[in-house]
């Protein structure tokens, strides 16, 4: 992801010395049409939010170990892929938008989805290849039809999600699970490391 300007209008005082000297009567302009904004003006998109650097004081849980029954948790990993923002109409006809990314540590990767305002907030800020910590999200069983990560869960970003950038030196090592060429045929349509 995913700017306004203003103009200043100068007005001349009706009782200025120049006006009196000229002896010209100046009448105020008749009131113009109402300048109220139309009710159908779409809301402006939120500007991208800069990502703060991590303070390094969080209790990090391996991505492989997080589950919906845990309380507070934070994950740390590198963004290995990020999809473009997609806009569509919701069930009630409202405008919706979404993007998702995959974050990976040395145990596995997980899909994280950002909706609407969070989409505006983070789509341009989060960069592929960078390392981040993430806290606060709703975990649900992974839908293998739309999810090619190795985690059994996927995450929807919560409204109060906390995201911080880490130094590359803090990033967990990424482990690839290499698949031999002669074993690819049964895996057609799936993401594999070769």
């Amino acid at each position: 992801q995913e700017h306004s300007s203003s103009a200043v209008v100068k007005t001349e005082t009706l009782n200025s010395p120049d006006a009196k000297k000229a002896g010209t009567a100046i009448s105020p302009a008749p009131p113009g049409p109402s300048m109220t904004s139309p009710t159908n003006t779409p809301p402006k998109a939120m500007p991208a939010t800069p990502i703060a650097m991590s303070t390094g004081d969080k209790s990090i849980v391996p991505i492989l170990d997080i589950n919906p029954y845990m309380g507070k948790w934070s994950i740390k990993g590198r963004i290995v892929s990020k999809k473009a923002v997609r806009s569509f109409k919701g069930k009630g006809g409202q405008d919706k938008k979404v993007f998702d990314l995959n974050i990976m540590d040395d145990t596995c990767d997980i899909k994280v989805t950002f909706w609407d305002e969070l989409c505006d907030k983070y789509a341009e800020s989060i960069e592929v290849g960078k390392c981040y910590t993430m806290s606060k999200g709703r975990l649900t069983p992974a839908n293998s039809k739309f999810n090619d990560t190795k985690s059994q869960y996927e995450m929807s970003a919560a409204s109060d999600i906390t995201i911080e950038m880490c130094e590359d030196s803090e990033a967990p090592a990424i482990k690839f699970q290499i698949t031999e060429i002669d074993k690819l045929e049964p895996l057609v349509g799936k993401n594999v490391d070769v």
Side-chain angles (χ1 to χ4, degrees):
Q1 306 181 152
E2 142 40 273
H3 307 283
S4 63
S5 62
S6 61
V8 177
V9 180
K10 293 185 177 179
T11 57
E12 183 177 357
T13 307
L14 295 181
N15 294 320
S16 65
D18 291 342
K20 291 180 178 180
K21 184 176 180 180
T24 304
I26 302 176
S27 301
S34 172
M35 298 301 291
T36 55
S37 301
T39 57
N40 61 349
T41 301
K44 294 181 180 179
M46 294 173 60
T49 299
I51 305 294
M53 291 300 297
S54 173
T55 56
D57 58 356
K58 294 179 175 59
S59 178
I60 301 299
V61 178
I63 292 176
L64 185 64
D65 294 343
I66 60 174
N67 63 72
Y69 310 105
M70 298 179 69
K72 293 181 179 180
W73 50 263
S74 297
I75 58 174
K76 177 190 288 185
R78 194 179 299 278
I79 307 302
V80 293
S81 66
K82 185 178 77 168
K83 294 184 179 178
V85 174
R86 182 170 61 92
S87 300
F88 61 98
K89 291 290 185 182
K91 291 182 179 179
Q94 70 274 34
D95 293 326
K96 305 284 289 181
K97 62 182 73 174
V98 64
F99 86 95
D100 58 75
L101 55 81
N102 292 352
I103 183 170
M104 176 183 285
D105 66 7
D106 56 0
T107 63
C108 74
D109 55 348
I110 189 170
K111 176 182 176 181
V112 185
T113 303
F114 296 78
W115 296 90
D116 300 325
E117 291 85 0
L118 292 177
C119 183
D120 289 332
K121 193 173 182 179
Y122 291 111
E124 299 298 328
S125 302
I126 299 176
E127 302 178 47
V128 173
K130 299 289 187 180
C131 178
Y132 299 87
T133 62
M134 295 187 182
S135 307
K136 300 176 183 177
R138 184 171 62 91
L139 296 172
T140 56
N143 183 345
S144 59
K145 185 177 180 181
F146 305 104
N147 187 337
D148 55 12
T149 65
K150 295 177 176 63
S151 173
Q152 61 179 316
Y153 299 105
E154 56 191 40
M155 172 180 161
S156 290
S159 59
D160 57 348
I161 188 172
T162 301
I163 301 177
E164 294 179 340
M165 186 182 296
C166 306
E167 297 288 352
D168 275 356
S169 59
E170 300 178 21
I174 294 177
K175 295 181 179 179
F176 295 99
Q177 298 180 355
I178 304 301
T179 303
E180 297 178 5
I181 300 297
D182 59 354
K183 296 180 180 178
L184 289 177
E185 187 173 353
L187 302 174
V188 171
K190 297 183 178 181
N191 276 5
V192 295
D193 302 323
V194 295

